[in-house]
Amino acid sequence: MTNFPLLTQLPGASRLILGCMGLGGGWNQEPVGEAELRKAREAVEAALSVGITLFDHADIYTHGKAEQVFGTLLSESPSLRDRLLLQSKCGIRFADEAGPGRYDLSAWYIERSVEASLQRLRTDRLDLLLLHRPDPLVDVHELAESLSRLHRSGKVRCFGVSNMHAAQLAWLQSACSLPLAVNQLEMSLLRLDWLEAGTTFNDGAQGRVDAWAGTLEHCQRQGVQLQAWGALAQGRWREHAVAGTLQTMAARLELVPETLLVAWLLRHPSCIQPVIGSTDPARIRACAAALDVQLSREDWYALYVAARGRPLP
C-alpha cells in the first residue's frame, strides 16, 4: 500500500470504493421508500464488512436521492459517520428553464452544490470533492479561490477531478494552492483507451487515443490517485468477446468474473482505485476478494488481448 497516493491526504481510505449511483431508486422525483433504505443499508453494511471505507457520490445521482438515502442512514446511526469517508462530485447541471444540460465549475455553483450535498448527506463535511466534468468556461483562478474557501470553512478536506486528461489537470493545479488528489476516469477491461494510448503509440494501424496521452504518467508522477469508475464495465462483459476468456480463467482460479475484473485493474502499477458500482452485497464481497488475488503477467495479458479482440501490434 506504500504506492497508494490517496493515503497521504486521506488516511483510512480503502483501496476499493463503493459507488453509490445505484442508491435512492430511479432517476426521477419519486420519494425514497423503505425498500430503497433497506437496499442502501445492506450495501453499506456489506462494504464496511470487507474493509471498504470510501463511498462515492455525486450531487446528480438519482437526482440527489442517492445522497439523501445515505444521509438517512447516517442520521439513524450517528457513529457511522466516523467509520467511513465520503466523496461527492459536482459540476454537471441537467437541462432546466435556464438552459440545456451543461457543465458549471463557477464558484457560485460549486459552493451551492457542496451546501446541498452536505444537507442531503446530513453531515458537516465532505472528505473529498471531485469536479465532475471539465467546464470549457471555467475561470481557474475563480475556481481556486472557491476551493480554498470550502477548505478553510472545513466543509471539504481534499479535492480532485473526474474525467480530465493530464493537460486539464495540470492547468487547474497551476492555479490551485491545494493539491488535486484524485482523477476519476472510466477504466475497465472493456474501456481500454487508457492502455491503448501507450501500447499502440506509433502504430499507425490503430485508432487514435491521443487525448489520453500522458495522463497515467502525469498522475503517477504528481502523486494523483487514479480512480476507476465503471470498473465492472456495467456488466457489459457478458455480451463481449472477452466473456469466454474471463469465465474460463475465473473458473481455473476458482473466482467469479467480478473478482477477476477488479483484480485485473489492481494489477496495473499505477495503483488504480476501482469504484464498485453495485448495491448487491454478494457482488460487493466478490469484488473485495480481488484484494487477495495477484494475477500473473500472462493472465493479465490474456485478458487484455481478448478484450482488444486482436493481437497487440
Side-chain angles (χ1 to χ4, degrees):
M1 297 289 276
T2 56
N3 64 337
F4 184 17
L6 190 59
L7 285 179
T8 62
Q9 295 193 52
L10 205 56
S14 52
R15 182 66 191 274
L16 302 183
I17 304 169
L18 186 70
C20 296
M21 187 171 69
L23 301 183
W27 289 67
N28 52 48
Q29 303 303 322
E30 294 180 8
V32 173
E34 181 55 40
E36 292 304 328
L37 283 169
R38 182 171 60 254
K39 181 179 178 181
R41 193 177 296 113
E42 291 172 353
V44 171
E45 288 173 355
L48 291 171
S49 74
V50 293
I52 296 176
T53 59
L54 184 54
F55 294 79
D56 176 74
H57 288 271
D59 56 356
I60 63 168
Y61 288 168
T62 56
H63 292 281
K65 292 188 295 182
E67 290 182 332
Q68 178 190 339
V69 74
F70 206 96
T72 300
L73 298 186
L74 294 179
S75 68
E76 291 176 345
S77 179
S79 63
L80 185 61
R81 181 64 182 92
D82 293 328
R83 296 175 54 201
L84 53 79
L85 300 167
L86 292 175
Q87 72 177 35
S88 195
K89 300 180 285 293
C90 69
I92 296 178
R93 300 182 67 173
F94 293 129
D96 54 24
E97 65 281 357
R102 57 206 183 274
Y103 304 143
D104 193 340
L105 296 183
S106 63
W108 169 81
Y109 191 73
I110 289 173
E111 293 177 45
R112 189 185 80 164
S113 297
V114 168
E115 291 289 352
S117 287
L118 293 176
Q119 290 180 20
R120 286 189 293 266
L121 288 164
R122 304 196 198 186
T123 186
D124 62 349
R125 68 195 184 281
L126 292 176
D127 298 292
L128 186 56
L129 175 69
L130 306 186
L131 308 176
H132 208 160
R133 289 277 179 179
D135 174 9
L137 298 181
V138 68
D139 179 328
V140 292
H141 301 291
E142 176 192 76
L143 171 64
E145 292 173 2
S146 176
L147 301 188
S148 292
R149 283 194 295 272
L150 288 168
H151 183 69
R152 288 195 303 269
S153 70
K155 294 174 182 176
V156 181
R157 292 174 62 188
C158 303
F159 299 90
V161 301
S162 182
N163 303 302
M164 296 193 191
H165 58 63
Q168 292 168 321
L169 184 56
W171 173 234
L172 290 179
Q173 186 63 83
S174 71
C176 296
S177 59
L178 297 165
L180 297 173
V182 163
N183 192 5
Q184 187 181 111
L185 303 159
E186 185 179 6
M187 307 166 79
S188 74
L189 188 58
L190 266 61
R191 178 66 188 267
L192 291 171
D193 43 0
W194 57 281
L195 275 180
E196 300 283 272
T199 55
T200 65
F201 172 71
N202 205 35
D203 177 35
Q206 304 303 325
R208 295 179 63 83
V209 286
D210 295 350
W212 272 88
T215 298
L216 265 63
E217 294 81 0
H218 173 85
C219 290
Q220 291 178 84
R221 184 171 61 248
Q222 299 300 324
V224 176
Q225 180 68 53
L226 285 163
Q227 294 183 352
W229 67 267
L232 299 179
Q234 294 89 33
R236 290 179 290 107
W237 61 267
R238 295 177 182 87
E239 290 79 41
H240 192 274
V242 77
T245 302
L246 187 64
Q247 291 170 321
T248 299
M249 189 180 296
R252 171 168 59 82
L253 298 175
E254 299 182 335
L255 305 171
V256 297
E258 287 82 3
T259 305
L260 201 50
L261 286 166
V262 176
W264 186 81
L265 285 172
L266 293 175
R267 179 67 171 79
H268 194 273
S270 60
C271 196
I272 297 165
Q273 191 181 25
V275 179
I276 309 306
S278 177
T279 59
D280 181 344
R283 189 166 290 124
I284 293 168
R285 289 189 286 268
C287 291
L291 294 167
D292 297 320
V293 176
Q294 179 68 14
L295 284 181
S296 69
R297 177 178 287 266
E298 290 71 25
D299 283 346
W300 188 90
Y301 268 101
L303 290 171
Y304 176 27
V305 173
R308 297 183 83 244
R310 58 192 184 280
L312 284 163

